[in-house]
Amino acid sequence: MEQSILNEYGVIGSLLIDATLFPEVSGLSEDDFDLVPLREVFRAMRRQYGESGSFDALTIRTEAGQHCPEVTDALLMKTLEITPTTANLPAYTAAVKEASLGRKLAALGNALISSDRTSAEALSHAQTVIQGLTESGGAGEATTLTDALNALCARVERQSEDGKAPCVPSGLAGLDKLLGGGYINGGLHIVGARPAVGKSALALQIALNAAKSGMKVVYASLEMSSEDCSARLVGNLGGGSAARYMFGGQLSEEEYRRFASGMSQLSRLPIVFNRRSGVNVRQIEALCFREKPGLLVIDHLGLLEPLEKRLSLYEATTRNSRALKLLAMRLDIPILCLCQLNRAAASDRSGEFRATMANLRESGAIEQDADTVCLLHNPPCESSGAGAPSLLELWLDKNRRGPCGHVDATFYKATGRIVC
């Protein structure tokens, strides 16, 4: 008999000897058993233990036998004969889990070989399955209060030694004060606004500020090319116009001087852009694992492709929002994600309407997953010319770890620069 099957017998035999040990194997599922009769026996054990807190060989034989004729008295006696003691239950359980994982990975490989998916679809499917296996591997595990306190002490000690909080400052003094220092690591941070209010400019400004402090930034723009983003950053640093650099034709001597200054400054900063516009969360995750950034910016959530096709907008947004939150936690970095507002807010062109979280498109999932939500408002104001700065209100409407409130920023639209 194969060793993997012997381990399955060992798990069942140990539980028949002492049903009170079932919590020790609660991380297993019936699908982890390769032998069908033992799978049905374990299914019956789980149901009966959950209902009454106990079971015995007779009740298990009766219930499991109704679903699988191979569950006999002889089978249960065999599990007891093979199992000399319950002391090895942890080893049996770990071995069953490992063998199950191996079978699932082998099945994935065979499915990919015989699949008619494109290479990109196959890669996305494989990443989704592997991620699911990784997350399910911790089912049933717990952390004791002692372990949690030890981890907290280690965190405080690291912060004391480094002198740094576990966050990435936005570089905007007023906003950082509200945030308690900056965007917390492991958090999903949303910036929402109507079109053309300045959310991309704000995201680029925050990315630029972080890069200036030495932080590596991955900027995933799904609606602008890396060339367009670079033009905006060059204009911000050099004091020139990105529109002139991209579409203005021949530059004047002063414009070229500003362009050269911006180029020189930007070339020294650790900012990485995505190569393709049509990407999903798994592809962004792969880019981050390769680049190891301290900050990830995504522009914007509505253009992020779903991991599965044929999903409704609500389903795609819900899954992408949750996937980004989990990604932030795995990478232990902040993710700054831009989000469009729904039609009720986007259709207001007077500038009088200030959005709330309810105006975020498919807002339920976003509100739930986000650690912070910052909504931009550009109220009407008098200006002295086309290049004059304007008021940009930053409303922090959700802050999981601190107060809400708002700060006023100055937005220089010509260069894309934002200060507060």
Side-chain angles (χ1 to χ4, degrees), residues 83-230:
T83 311
T85 174
T86 62
N88 294 325
L89 180 58
Y92 297 147
T93 303
V96 169
K97 194 69 177 176
E98 183 176 355
S100 172
L101 179 60
R103 291 194 302 272
K104 290 172 182 175
L105 289 174
L108 173 61
N110 292 333
L112 292 176
I113 291 173
S114 59
S115 172
D116 58 356
R117 294 183 175 95
T118 65
S119 297
E121 290 174 340
L123 177 59
S124 178
H125 174 69
Q127 289 174 326
T128 301
V129 172
I130 291 172
Q131 186 60 49
L133 293 176
T134 301
E135 293 172 358
S136 67
E141 294 182 359
T143 299
T144 66
L145 178 59
T146 300
D147 291 338
L149 291 174
N150 288 336
L152 176 60
C153 287
R155 182 188 185 104
V156 172
E157 289 175 2
R158 285 197 306 270
Q159 291 176 199
S160 299
E161 293 172 359
D162 298 340
K164 298 179 180 179
C167 63
V168 175
S170 70
L172 303 172
L175 181 58
D176 284 337
K177 185 176 181 180
L178 276 179
L179 292 170
Y183 290 115
I184 195 76
N185 289 341
L188 174 61
H189 307 279
I190 298 294
V191 173
R194 292 183 291 109
V197 168
K199 60 183 180 297
S200 292
L202 179 64
L204 285 166
Q205 184 68 66
I206 292 171
L208 193 58
N209 293 343
K212 283 181 179 179
S213 70
M215 183 73 64
K216 189 172 187 179
V217 179
V218 166
Y219 195 99
S221 178
L222 308 182
E223 63 178 356
M224 293 190 297
S225 67
S226 57
E227 185 182 7
D228 198 347
C229 292
S230 297

Side-chain angles (χ1 to χ4, degrees), residues 184-187 288 293-296 327-335:
I184 195 76
N185 289 341
C288 289
L295 172 66
L296 169 62
L327 177 59
M329 295 172 67
R330 284 197 299 274
L331 298 177
D332 194 28
I333 64 172
I335 294 181

Side-chain angles (χ1 to χ4, degrees), residues 299-320:
D299 182 9
H300 59 82
L301 179 62
L303 296 178
L304 194 60
E305 293 189 350
L307 292 173
E308 300 176 30
K309 304 299 182 183
R310 298 182 296 278
L311 293 179
S312 67
L313 176 59
Y314 176 81
E315 292 173 324
T317 302
T318 297
R319 296 192 187 188
N320 280 336

Side-chain angles (χ1 to χ4, degrees), residues 29-76:
S29 72
E30 47 268 27
D31 293 337
D32 290 324
F33 289 81
D34 190 36
L35 203 62
V36 174
L38 297 185
R39 186 182 306 167
E40 291 301 326
V41 168
F42 188 80
R43 192 193 309 274
M45 286 178 167
R46 178 182 293 280
R47 195 199 66 75
Q48 292 186 23
Y49 189 86
E51 186 175 278
S52 63
S54 183
F55 51 78
D56 56 41
L58 179 58
T59 59
I60 293 300
R61 161 71 176 82
T62 301
E63 179 176 337
Q66 293 175 350
H67 301 282
C68 179
E70 295 177 52
V71 177
T72 61
D73 292 337
L75 174 72
L76 299 185

